[in-house]
Amino acid sequence: MACFREHGYDSTSVRDLEAATGLKATSLYNAFGSKAGLFNAALDRYHRDVVERRVNEHLRPALGLAGIRSFLVSTYTVEPLPTHGCLVASSAAEFADLEPRARERVEHSLRLTRDALARSLEASRQAGEIDPVIDLAAAADALLIFYEGMLTMLRTGPVTVDPTRAIDATLALLQPRKRKR
């Protein structure tokens, strides 16, 4: 998984995979069938170990906007900057035409994240943390785009913006405003 995160699919050689796993090419091909099969297994593992874990930890509706903020901040506090980035984001960016199984895995991870953001936004609205005029579906889409863009940007380093300030400014746009009468 780390090889694909660090180098991308195309730039990861069989030798890189041998070095990372300690297995010979024949063992890798026997176990996974192909480099694409190993990549799909890496996407499955990344989805389970990273995406699902982070969504379940931070995007519980009861946490409201604080949970969304924690989720976004965790993108750069879990690993030192620059990070290896997100395997989902880098895979989507690297492959305009992902192999169908890989595309399905990437889309599943994006849907999971977007749906969790939507549930957290709805709970935040119920708690009075979100302006009632905000379109929650559009806000969930915008936060997913912001999140994936941030992951890509943090991977490239050096980080020339303050991500915490950007997160706080973005979330402030969702909060209720005092309306003039």
Side-chain angles (χ1 to χ4, degrees):
M1 187 169 68
C3 263
F4 291 124
R5 280 183 73 194
E6 186 172 349
H7 305 293
Y9 179 83
D10 284 337
S11 296
T12 298
S13 69
V14 173
R15 285 192 180 160
D16 294 331
L17 295 171
E18 287 177 325
T21 63
L23 299 173
K24 295 291 180 197
T26 52
S27 296
L28 291 171
Y29 281 98
N30 284 336
F32 299 100
S34 64
K35 180 179 165 184
L38 178 55
F39 179 70
N40 285 327
L43 275 172
D44 286 341
R45 181 174 174 199
Y46 186 83
H47 176 83
R48 183 187 65 247
D49 294 353
V50 178
V51 177
E52 284 183 358
R53 180 186 53 78
R54 289 185 61 241
V55 163
N56 291 333
E57 180 179 340
H58 300 284
L59 293 179
R60 294 190 312 266
L63 298 175
L65 278 181
I68 294 172
R69 183 182 188 281
S70 173
F71 175 73
L72 295 171
V73 167
S74 73
T75 62
Y76 57 90
T77 57
V78 173
E79 299 177 16
L81 294 176
T83 71
H84 292 305
C86 172
L87 184 59
V88 172
S90 61
S91 298
E94 183 177 6
F95 302 114
D97 298 315
L98 277 175
E99 180 266 330
R101 287 181 50 208
R103 176 171 296 290
E104 179 182 302
R105 286 167 172 79
V106 167
E107 289 173 353
H108 179 66
S109 289
L110 293 173
R111 259 191 322 276
L112 175 80
T113 303
R114 191 248 179 241
D115 291 348
L117 285 164
R119 286 189 300 276
S120 291
L121 287 167
E122 179 61 40
S124 297
R125 173 172 280 162
Q126 297 300 320
E129 296 179 315
I130 302 279
D131 193 313
V133 301
I134 298 286
D135 177 340
L136 295 183
D141 291 344
L143 285 173
L144 179 65
I145 292 166
F146 176 82
Y147 167 70
E148 292 296 327
M150 194 170 74
L151 286 167
T152 301
M153 185 176 180
L154 292 173
R155 179 181 180 166
T156 61
V159 177
T160 58
V161 298
D162 179 349
T164 303
R165 243 181 65 213
I167 290 167
D168 290 341
T170 300
L171 294 178
L173 295 171
L174 300 173
Q175 296 172 355
R177 309 234 187 306
K178 292 183 181 177
R179 308 238 187 265
K180 294 182 180 180
R181 292 182 187 199

